[in-house]
Amino acid sequence: MLTKLERHFFVRNACGPGVKSCTGYAEGCGLSVAAMMMCNVLVHCRMTFLHPSVHMWSYVDNWELFGTEVAEVVNAYASLEAVCVDLDLSLDKTKTCAWALDGASRQELRSEGLNVQRNFRDLGGHQQFSRQQTNGTLKSQCERLQNLWPALARSLAPYNQKLKVVRCKAWPRGLHAASGVHISPNIFKTLRAGAGKGLRADKAGSSSHILLSLVHFPSQDPGCYAILDAVVQFRRFADPVRVEPYLHQASQIPDSLRVPGPCGVLIARLETLGWIFSQGTLFLDQDHLPVDVMHSPLREVQHRICRAWQQHVGSIHAFRHGFEGLHQVDAVTTAKHLEKLSFESHSPIRSLLTGVFITADQQGEMFKVDGSERVCKFCHAQDSLEHRHWDCPHTAASRALIPAQSFAVIQSQPQCFRVRGWCIEHPSVQVFRQSLFDIPDLTANFPLELQYALFRQYALFRQCCLKIYIA
């Protein structure tokens, strides 16, 4: 039947030549999925019968054998080859490899003629089987994103649609399975720069780090995205009792000496935020307030991670001229004020917030213009953002709209507020958060009298509902 059936593939509305099959399952057939599943079930049953001590995993055509003894795995591999011959299937020897967790087992596998690897790509993710920290698979995935940024920059789609492409396509593709891999800061820096070019927000002085982390929701930044992904995967797959010793061990040694794996990666990512491991799955955040990454509500953990990330980014860029005090940034309040402005105002305000060189003093520093020529184009005084906002006669009408009693408050604020327009978190917010943690938790303490009263009220409520339903 396969030798008589011709299949034609359509590519860009063009029909290709007929292709015949001689063995296996016809590609493109709707029943090929069911046939592959039946094949996997058959191979699993056969391998379980022949080698009960070896565990087999399969995902479509990706087959893996696991065992505690090298000899058992080698014999199971030979049996798997025999089963494939009986089913008229062939194993791809170029993609077949073996791994072990110790040097003696690796040497024994090499003596059997197997291709031994210390790390490789498995189902799109990077797997490591030695103490060496590697990330070759993830690095190549991120490099392939470089073709996306020029296409995104040429796109005529609205700015908000491009943001969705960055968040929903670029980062899941480039940072796939990043929760188990240590990533260099240079990789994140390259990704941010590419995203800035794709969003056409790469003007002189503009910081893609500030744009993706503070102007927009922090998950737009690859660094924060990787932290959130590591926490979500940890909550989904980790057993708190089993991982606690690994978390404690990883927290006691430097990042560069940690054994590769999700526990060490989680510790390293949260340490970026200034969080400290305490015990179990409990951490102390940058304000020394406790947070349980496993048992606390996921929304709360995500909110605190985003807040810590924004303060972390603010502390990085607080050294820039005009951004002093950015470590106290309140990005949420700033975003709410930005939403109140007209759509046409969003682009120039984003440029101001991200550090774009606007005035003559900044542009002159970049283009090496003489100091005497770095003057305001309106009043010909020495130009600066401080001058434009608070001294230039051209903006006097705008300053007149500010109440007189507010000027003293404004002048006492950091430069990131006066010059760049970033809102600052009030010091009482931290005091309020601490007071909330000081409230005793009595949600699980119900006196017997209260339980009885609640039971009676519930019984009466059910009787009432029953009468209403019958009526």
Side-chain angles (χ1 to χ4, degrees):
M1 180 63 180
L2 291 175
T3 58
K4 298 179 181 179
L5 182 65
E6 281 193 355
R7 293 166 291 123
H8 298 265
F9 293 91
F10 282 83
V11 180
R12 295 182 179 178
N13 296 325
C15 181
V19 180
K20 294 183 178 181
S21 298
C22 59
T23 184
Y25 312 123
E27 185 179 1
C29 175
L31 294 176
S32 61
V33 178
M36 192 68 217
M37 183 189 69
M38 294 172 59
C39 176
N40 283 355
V41 172
L42 178 61
V43 173
H44 270 274
C45 294
R46 182 64 176 171
M47 295 300 298
T48 302
F49 175 76
L50 295 177
H51 304 277
S53 61
V54 176
H55 187 67
M56 180 178 179
W57 287 354
S58 66
Y59 183 80
V60 192
D61 59 347
N62 190 86
W63 296 350
E64 301 182 14
L65 299 172
F66 298 88
T68 57
E69 299 293 335
V70 174
E72 295 176 352
V73 177
V74 172
N75 293 334
Y77 176 66
S79 300
L80 181 62
E81 288 184 312
V83 172
C84 290
V85 172
D86 295 339
L87 295 175
D88 197 14
L89 299 175
S90 60
L91 293 175
D92 190 347
K93 298 301 179 91
T94 60
K95 297 181 180 179
T96 302
C97 62
W99 57 268
L101 299 180
D102 60 271
S105 299
R106 296 190 194 101
Q107 186 62 34
E108 191 174 351
L109 288 170
R110 291 191 186 94
S111 64
E112 296 291 341
L114 296 176
N115 177 24
V116 179
Q117 298 288 338
R118 293 176 179 266
N119 57 82
F120 57 82
R121 178 189 179 97
D122 187 16
L123 295 179
H126 186 76
Q127 297 289 339
Q128 305 170 86
F129 307 105
S130 66
R131 299 180 66 89
Q132 182 182 6
Q133 296 183 7
T134 58
N135 57 5
T137 303
L138 186 137
K139 187 176 180 180
S140 62
Q141 292 172 177
C142 294
E143 290 175 350
R144 284 195 290 270
L145 288 179
Q146 298 306 314
N147 298 326
L148 173 64
W149 309 130
L152 188 63
R154 293 192 301 268
S155 173
L156 300 179
Y159 182 83
N160 290 335
Q161 294 296 328
K162 292 185 177 184
L163 277 178
K164 291 182 179 179
V165 172
V166 174
R167 171 63 179 83
C168 301
K169 181 178 181 179
W171 301 155
R173 179 185 293 182
L175 300 175
H176 173 67
S179 58
V181 181
H182 291 273
I183 305 177
S184 168
N186 290 332
I187 294 179
F188 289 131
K189 185 177 180 180
T190 303
L191 292 176
R192 291 187 194 103
K197 293 178 181 178
L199 296 172
R200 303 184 70 87
D202 55 343
K203 299 178 182 178
S206 177
S207 170
S208 56
H209 204 181
I210 295 178
L211 174 69
L212 300 176
S213 299
L214 302 183
V215 177
H216 302 299
F217 194 74
S219 61
Q220 294 286 353
D221 186 272
C224 187
Y225 177 91
I227 297 175
L228 293 172
D229 179 65
V231 172
V232 170
Q233 300 303 328
F234 179 79
R235 292 170 63 102
R236 183 178 181 183
F237 297 108
D239 183 351
V241 178
R242 294 185 177 181
V243 302
E244 196 276 337
Y246 297 100
L247 291 174
H248 178 75
Q249 180 185 14
S251 65
Q252 303 299 316
I253 56 180
D255 183 25
S256 58
L257 301 179
R258 288 173 183 153
V259 178
C263 292
V265 170
L266 178 69
I267 292 288
R269 300 266 165 85
L270 294 179
E271 284 180 348
T272 305
L273 305 176
W275 291 19
I276 304 173
F277 174 77
S278 178
Q279 61 180 357
T281 56
L282 189 69
F283 287 77
L284 298 178
D285 66 6
Q286 73 280 7
D287 298 323
H288 298 284
L289 298 178
V291 52
D292 194 327
V293 297
M294 176 63 75
H295 301 103
S296 295
L298 179 59
R299 293 299 183 189
E300 177 192 352
V301 177
Q302 291 175 334
H303 169 74
R304 295 176 68 174
I305 288 176
C306 291
R307 178 177 178 273
W309 177 260
Q310 289 177 333
Q311 292 186 345
H312 166 68
V313 173
S315 63
I316 292 177
H317 295 275
F319 72 93
R320 286 187 58 179
H321 179 67
F323 286 93
E324 290 84 350
L326 196 62
H327 61 284
Q328 308 170 21
V329 63
D330 188 349
V332 176
T333 304
T334 306
K336 290 181 179 179
H337 286 294
L338 182 61
E339 292 175 356
K340 298 178 182 178
L341 302 177
S342 63
F343 179 78
E344 294 78 9
S345 303
H346 285 186
S347 180
I349 293 298
R350 277 199 304 266
S351 299
L352 180 67
L353 293 173
T354 55
V356 173
F357 294 159
I358 300 174
T359 53
D361 62 328
Q362 297 169 331
Q363 296 175 351
E365 187 70 27
M366 180 178 61
F367 296 110
K368 306 301 180 183
V369 178
D370 186 69
S372 59
E373 299 180 7
R374 302 178 187 180
V375 295
C376 176
K377 63 180 181 180
F378 299 108
C379 64
H380 304 290
Q382 196 68 25
D383 201 9
S384 68
L385 282 174
E386 188 87 24
H387 165 77
R388 292 279 186 96
H389 293 328
W390 307 110
D391 298 324
C392 184
H394 184 75
T395 56
S398 299
R399 290 195 299 274
L401 300 176
I402 303 175
Q405 61 271 19
S406 300
F407 271 93
V409 178
I410 293 174
Q411 295 304 319
S412 65
Q413 297 298 315
Q415 274 198 349
C416 65
F417 178 83
R418 299 196 320 269
V419 175
R420 290 292 177 176
W422 284 105
C423 294
I424 301 300
E425 184 178 87
H426 197 275
S428 61
V429 173
Q430 174 59 23
V431 179
F432 176 70
R433 295 179 71 242
Q434 181 63 56
S435 64
L436 293 178
F437 275 94
D438 294 338
I439 298 175
D441 184 6
L442 302 177
T443 56
N445 184 15
F446 288 95
L448 183 61
E449 297 80 5
L450 180 59
Q451 295 183 29
Y452 179 68
L454 290 175
F455 175 76
R456 288 188 59 189
Q457 292 179 8
Y458 177 68
L460 293 173
F461 175 74
R462 288 204 59 184
Q463 290 179 7
C464 224
C465 291
L466 181 61
K467 292 178 181 178
I468 295 174
Y469 178 74
I470 294 175

